[in-house]
């Protein structure tokens, strides 16, 4: 029997192309940012988000009607979307910007996601076709800001659950049970849909895409849009004055006894 309209989920998963986590970060010669002429891959926290969306479909079956990935970036970012599609997403949206353009700031990203959601929901023929769950990484490993999900929930007026380490959806009640990471333990939340969730490391371990799924991903649709299509301005609100590597740490030394240690601590003013 086909599930009723109240039991269907449409999931949006924002993903970001970032410098690969295994690459040693270096400052560019101009000291305006980091050297980006290195290997890139999907932000690890976003991989967790894609994996969780796919696992929700595996648990809830037909109750999850669609999983759509979305990214903002240059043409090369399409590879990141193909990875999400190979992991199990159904379709994708690429907000394309020039290669030379600066990376959008979190508020601009949140406004873009809001515009995409409102655009999609306005075109939805039925209530069950609307996006009602957004799952994204808690932060990106390149800027470590960790505020996009919170801003998006605020702009939409939706519930939010950040730093999630456990996620259970009750499609009958349209409620989501979330355990979120906090200092010293976990906090349990029960949220109403629609909802924005940001993922933490303990939520799951992302799968590797199989070769057949990688080949299938090449045929899945990617819709291309521009910031102008959505009415979003990506002009930076902040200016980076200079980027520099931290000073090199000075090597330590050994002491022969406690008296010598105490003397050196006093010399250091401790």
């Amino acid at each position: 029997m086909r599930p009723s309209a109240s039991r269907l989920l449409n999931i949006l998963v924002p993903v970001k192309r970032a410098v690969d986590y295994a690459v040693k970060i270096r400052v560019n010669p101009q000291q305006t940012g980091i050297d980006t002429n290195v290997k890139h891959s999907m932000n690890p926290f976003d991989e967790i988000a894609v994996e969780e969306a796919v696992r929700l479909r595996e648990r809830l079956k037909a109750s999850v009607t669609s999983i759509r990935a979305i990214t903002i970036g240059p043409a090369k970012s399409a590879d990141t979307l193909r990875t999400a599609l190979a992991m199990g997403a159904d379709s994708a949206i690429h907000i394309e910007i020039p290669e030379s353009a600066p990376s959008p700031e979190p508020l601009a990203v949140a406004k873009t996601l809001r515009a995409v959601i409102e655009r999609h929901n306005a075109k939805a023929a039925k209530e069950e076709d609307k996006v009602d769950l957004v799952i994204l990484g808690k932060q990106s490993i390149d800027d470590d800001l960790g505020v996009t999900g919170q801003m998006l929930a605020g702009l939409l007026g939706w519930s939010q659950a950040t730093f999630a380490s456990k996620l259970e959806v009750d499609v009958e009640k349209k409620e989501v049970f979330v355990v979120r990471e906090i200092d010293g333990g976990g906090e349990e939340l029960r949220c109403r849909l629609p909802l924005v969730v940001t993922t933490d490391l303990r939520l799951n371990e992302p799968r590797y895409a199989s070769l057949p799924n990688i080949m299938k991903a090449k045929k899945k649709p990617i819709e291309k849009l521009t910031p102008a299509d959505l009415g979003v301005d990506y002009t930076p609100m902040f200016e980076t004055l200079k980027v520099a590597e931290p000073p090199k740490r000075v090597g330590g030394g050994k002491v022969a006894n406690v008296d010598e240690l105490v003397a050196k601590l006093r010399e250091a003013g401790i």
Side-chain angles (χ1 to χ4, degrees):
M1 180 182 295
R2 180 178 172 81
S4 65
S6 62
R7 302 179 184 177
L8 298 179
L9 281 176
N10 291 282
I11 304 174
L12 183 70
V13 187
V15 297
K16 184 177 182 181
R17 177 178 180 264
V19 174
D20 190 83
Y21 69 91
V23 172
K24 183 177 180 180
I25 301 298
R26 299 183 185 278
V27 177
N28 62 27
Q30 297 80 23
Q31 293 190 315
T32 57
I34 62 170
D35 180 12
T36 57
N37 191 27
V38 293
K39 180 184 177 184
H40 285 63
S41 59
M42 187 189 299
N43 176 47
F45 290 104
D46 295 338
E47 281 189 299
I48 294 171
V50 176
E51 175 66 24
E52 192 61 23
V54 175
R55 291 191 184 193
L56 281 176
R57 165 173 279 167
E58 291 172 347
R59 293 198 298 267
L60 302 176
K61 308 299 182 182
S63 294
V64 177
T65 56
S66 72
I67 300 172
R68 176 173 288 190
I70 180 171
T71 196
I72 304 169
K76 294 178 181 178
S77 297
D79 294 338
T80 304
L81 290 176
R82 292 295 178 193
T83 300
L85 293 171
M87 290 176 67
D90 303 311
S91 60
I93 301 173
H94 184 184
I95 314 298
E96 191 166 349
I97 59 176
E99 184 77 36
S100 58
S103 182
E105 294 172 353
L107 182 56
V109 174
K111 287 181 177 179
T112 300
L113 296 175
R114 178 185 63 176
V116 168
I117 292 170
E118 291 179 344
R119 181 174 181 263
H120 174 86
N121 289 352
K123 291 182 178 179
K126 298 173 288 185
E127 188 70 23
E128 62 196 77
D129 295 330
K130 294 182 178 181
V131 174
D132 41 21
L133 180 60
V134 180
I135 308 176
L136 68 161
K138 69 172 184 177
Q139 66 193 73
S140 176
I141 61 172
D142 50 8
D143 55 29
D144 277 335
L145 294 177
V147 295
T148 302
Q150 294 89 320
M151 288 180 170
L152 175 61
L155 291 172
L156 290 170
W158 287 12
S159 307
Q160 62 173 294
T162 56
F163 316 127
S165 59
K166 184 178 180 180
L167 190 67
E168 295 178 355
V169 178
D170 187 332
V171 292
E172 296 284 347
K173 298 180 179 179
K174 297 197 77 174
E175 290 183 350
V176 183
F177 173 76
V178 181
V179 178
R180 62 186 299 268
E181 298 284 325
I182 60 172
D183 292 340
E187 179 183 28
E188 296 182 354
L189 301 176
R190 193 171 298 278
C191 307
R192 295 285 295 175
L193 293 171
L195 172 68
V196 177
V197 176
T198 69
T199 60
D200 214 324
L201 285 172
R202 291 181 180 85
L203 184 57
N204 61 55
E205 184 175 344
R207 69 193 67 192
Y208 289 101
S210 65
L211 182 58
N213 286 339
I214 292 173
M215 299 305 293
K216 290 178 183 177
K218 295 181 179 180
K219 298 180 180 179
K220 291 183 178 180
I222 296 180
E223 180 184 4
K224 288 194 176 184
L225 298 171
T226 65
D229 294 332
L230 302 170
V232 181
D233 183 8
Y234 284 2
T235 303
M237 300 176 66
F238 298 94
E239 179 185 0
T240 301
L241 302 179
K242 182 180 179 182
V243 178
E245 293 185 9
K248 293 183 179 180
R249 298 180 63 180
V250 180
K254 293 183 178 180
V255 294
N257 50 54
V258 175
D259 292 337
E260 187 178 346
L261 174 61
V262 173
K264 285 188 175 292
L265 289 175
R266 286 177 177 171
E267 288 177 8
I270 299 176

